[in-house]
Amino acid sequence: MPIYEYKCENCNHAFEKLVFMGNDEHIECPKCGDIKVKKLVSSTCHINSLGGGDCAPSPSRGFS
Ligand SMILES: [Zn+2]
């Protein structure tokens, strides 16, 4: 299950939240309760559209 990073646009509180598949539309800020939160791209392993990334892709993950 992925853990996404969010940032509240109301109070700028950043937080992480465990999100189940397809259940990321009702995220609210745990600090102020505002639902205007912005999903951030995880900084742990980000591969962009140009083929670059912050980490090397795994050669084998068992679902090829
Ligand atoms: Zn907030």
Side-chain angles (χ1 to χ4, degrees), residues 2-31:
I3 295 177
Y4 292 116
E5 292 181 52
Y6 293 89
K7 184 177 181 181
C8 178
E9 295 186 338
N10 183 44
C11 69
N12 283 329
H13 176 61
F15 59 99
E16 295 179 340
K17 190 170 181 65
L18 183 67
V19 178
F20 293 94
M21 189 70 75
N23 193 29
D24 61 344
E25 297 180 358
H26 305 285
I27 308 301
E28 62 182 43
C29 176
K31 189 174 182 179

Side-chain angles (χ1 to χ4, degrees), residues 1 3 9 14-15 23 27-28 31 34-35 37-38 46 49 52 61 63:
M1 287 173 282
I3 295 177
E9 295 186 338
F15 59 99
N23 193 29
I27 308 301
E28 62 182 43
K31 189 174 182 179
D34 200 289
I35 59 172
V37 296
K38 184 177 182 180
H46 175 223
S49 60
R61 284 189 154 190
F63 52 89

Side-chain angles (χ1 to χ4, degrees), residues 41-52:
V41 176
S42 175
S43 60
T44 54
C45 184
H46 175 223
I47 299 175
N48 62 39
S49 60
L50 298 177

